[in-house]
Amino acid sequence: MEPILQTVDLNKIYKVGKVETHALRGVTMTVNKGEFVAIMGQSGCGKSTLLHLLGGLLSPTSGKILIDNEDISKVSDAKRTDIRRRKIGFVFQRFNLFPTLTADGNLRLAERIHVGNGKGSAEKRHEILSLLKLENKMNNKPLELSGGEQQRVALARAVINSPAIILADEPTGNLDTENSEIVLDMFQELNERYGQTIIMITHNPEAARHCGRVINMLDGRIVD
Ligand SMILES: Nc1ncnc2c1ncn2[C@@H]1O[C@H](COP(=O)(O)OP(=O)(O)O)[C@@H](O)[C@H]1O
Ligand SMILES: [Mg+2]
């Protein structure tokens, strides 16, 4: 098994005025290529902080983060941004779709930002939208979609460029059971069909059942 993401003794302290919050307290973990991992734990235990550090969106106070054996806390901001763009897809709970573009248009935009030449694949967009049961909604704009459908389009956008690593922060947090199932099935499909590595924060025990492994956190630490 080949590691794709590793952390070594990761610490994160937030400072707001004089108040310090020790959000991560020595997190050491390894995720191998092709794993589908859930991160669980009560609110405030540091899950989002860990995910943001893994994706290079935050810098650690101390410790190492390795993506494909490269320490991303040591490289320049420009290099880190480049690694993130090439290898990582983020799924957040809030989804900022472009309101004037259709579902398909939002995906085309993501493709253009990624490859820079406007060359996307209509076939790939159709495949992803079909996996998410949105094939009949390709030409709808966000306001013409339900909340669950908008979330699914945002998800399609995060995975359209086939990132090696998908980081998802409570992707089913705002969804009803039916929409949650569609989203979880899609993650499982991407994981099994394309071997994409997925790390998903969730509170949903059902969601954790789709995953190969659960990492439990408590007060900034991994517990088992
Ligand atoms: N940007 C920030 N500035 C200051 N404190 C923060 C910030 N983000 C998170 N925290 C604090 O860090 C701790 C961990 O937060 P977070 O990683 O969001 O937890 P979780 O995602 O598990 O709910 C919490 O005490 C939270 O209040
Ligand atoms: Mg969180």
Side-chain angles (χ1 to χ4, degrees):
M1 281 198 286
E2 207 181 328
I4 189 164
L5 267 178
Q6 287 168 282
T7 71
V8 182
D9 200 14
L10 206 54
N11 281 276
K12 179 67 183 178
I13 299 172
Y14 292 106
K15 285 191 187 122
V16 179
K18 284 185 180 151
V19 180
E20 289 194 350
T21 304
H22 208 148
L24 290 185
R25 300 168 182 268
V27 170
T28 298
M29 60 180 267
T30 300
V31 174
N32 291 312
K33 263 182 196 150
E35 272 200 285
F36 185 2
V37 177
I39 298 179
M40 301 188 79
Q42 59 194 209
S43 182
C45 70
K47 304 181 297 296
S48 296
T49 300
L50 177 59
L51 204 75
H52 290 166
L53 284 165
L54 289 176
L57 293 175
L58 269 182
S59 296
T61 305
S62 66
K64 284 188 199 171
I65 304 156
L66 298 105
I67 298 182
D68 283 329
N69 296 312
E70 185 168 25
D71 189 344
I72 62 161
S73 40
K74 292 240 165 66
V75 304
S76 68
D77 284 353
K79 181 88 197 287
R80 188 158 48 239
T81 302
D82 181 58
I83 293 172
R84 189 163 68 223
R85 274 181 43 187
R86 278 186 297 113
K87 298 190 179 172
I88 296 174
F90 278 101
V91 183
F92 297 109
Q93 228 177 53
R94 248 180 266 121
F95 34 90
N96 302 306
L97 296 173
F98 276 85
T100 57
L101 296 177
T102 63
D104 193 57
N106 269 280
L107 299 193
R108 283 206 311 271
L109 179 64
E111 287 177 332
R112 202 169 314 147
I113 289 169
H114 188 73
V115 290
N117 60 6
K119 266 195 210 134
S121 150
E123 211 175 310
K124 176 81 181 180
R125 291 197 299 278
H126 188 263
E127 183 199 0
I128 295 289
L129 288 172
S130 300
L131 274 180
L132 287 162
K133 303 199 176 10
L134 288 166
E135 61 269 48
N136 298 322
K137 306 284 180 177
M138 278 177 66
N139 297 314
N140 289 36
K141 293 177 182 169
L143 284 176
E144 299 159 354
L145 297 166
S146 72
E149 287 165 350
Q150 288 181 40
Q151 172 73 309
R152 273 141 58 197
V153 174
L155 188 54
R157 184 183 55 185
V159 302
I160 189 66
N161 295 311
S162 307
I165 303 166
I166 297 171
L167 302 176
D169 197 343
E170 300 189 42
T172 62
N174 293 325
L175 298 180
D176 58 26
T177 315
E178 196 185 334
N179 275 298
S180 297
E181 268 307 308
I182 294 173
V183 167
L184 294 171
D185 283 348
M186 190 220 57
F187 274 140
Q188 206 171 342
E189 186 76 22
L190 290 179
N191 176 249
E192 287 169 4
R193 196 189 294 180
Y194 300 112
Q196 283 171 283
T197 304
I198 303 172
I199 302 179
M200 175 178 76
I201 296 174
T202 183
H203 286 292
N204 181 352
E206 285 295 312
R209 257 203 263 139
H210 289 253
C211 302
R213 172 157 72 106
V214 176
I215 291 176
N216 285 298
M217 290 186 69
L218 181 68
D219 292 336
R221 292 189 177 89
I222 288 178
V223 291
D224 42 28

